[in-house]
Amino acid sequence: MPDLKIQEAKLLFNKIHSNPKSYDLQIYEDGITGRDDKISFRLYRTGERVAFEVTIDELTFTNTTGEWNNAMIMLGNTIKKIEKEQENLKIEQAINKLKKYLSEEN
């Protein structure tokens, strides 16, 4: 697996973090995955450290410089915030449907 340079890794993480809804983010047991139409990535624990792995054109690049513990926490919090927004939207839509239903005449 070729190395991912820290500068490139930071730029990519910042791009992901600034527009997280574009990356189909998922939390799993050991980390976080995401993808768009050009790349896929994962942040995952490897013992005491976290690795940032990016796949593009069927090549996978990895960076394990120790920068990624906080990044994984930040992205995890962002995913939880997006999930909460989606849940709130579902609740709001259901309430609106209920109000419409109750206002209909029999």
Side-chain angles (χ1 to χ4, degrees), residues 10-26 32-39 41 74-75 78-79 81-82 85-86:
K10 285 182 179 181
L11 285 172
L12 178 58
F13 178 79
N14 289 337
K15 184 173 183 165
I16 292 165
H17 192 255
S18 68
N19 194 7
K21 292 181 182 179
S22 301
Y23 289 93
D24 187 29
L25 299 172
Q26 305 288 323
I32 296 171
T33 62
R35 74 177 72 256
D36 68 6
D37 58 343
K38 296 178 182 150
I39 67 150
F41 72 90
M74 288 170 56
L75 211 49
T78 299
I79 292 169
K81 181 180 173 190
I82 291 170
E85 288 172 1
Q86 291 170 337

Side-chain angles (χ1 to χ4, degrees), residues 1-10 12 52-54 60-65 68:
M1 229 181 287
D3 286 338
L4 178 64
K5 293 181 181 175
I6 188 63
Q7 298 89 342
E8 293 165 338
K10 285 182 179 181
L12 178 58
F52 186 30
E53 192 175 274
V54 179
T60 301
F61 301 86
T62 305
N63 184 283
T64 55
T65 58
W68 306 115

Side-chain angles (χ1 to χ4, degrees), residues 39-92:
I39 67 150
S40 65
F41 72 90
R42 68 183 190 137
L43 284 162
Y44 62 96
R45 297 208 178 279
T46 60
E48 297 288 318
R49 303 185 91 169
V50 174
F52 186 30
E53 192 175 274
V54 179
T55 303
I56 187 166
D57 292 339
E58 298 180 17
L59 288 171
T60 301
F61 301 86
T62 305
N63 184 283
T64 55
T65 58
E67 298 278 330
W68 306 115
N69 283 320
N70 288 336
M72 196 153 82
I73 292 167
M74 288 170 56
L75 211 49
N77 289 338
T78 299
I79 292 169
K80 290 173 187 166
K81 181 180 173 190
I82 291 170
E83 288 172 348
K84 182 114 173 116
E85 288 172 1
Q86 291 170 337
E87 184 64 26
N88 288 341
L89 182 61
K90 286 180 187 176
I91 291 168
E92 186 177 322

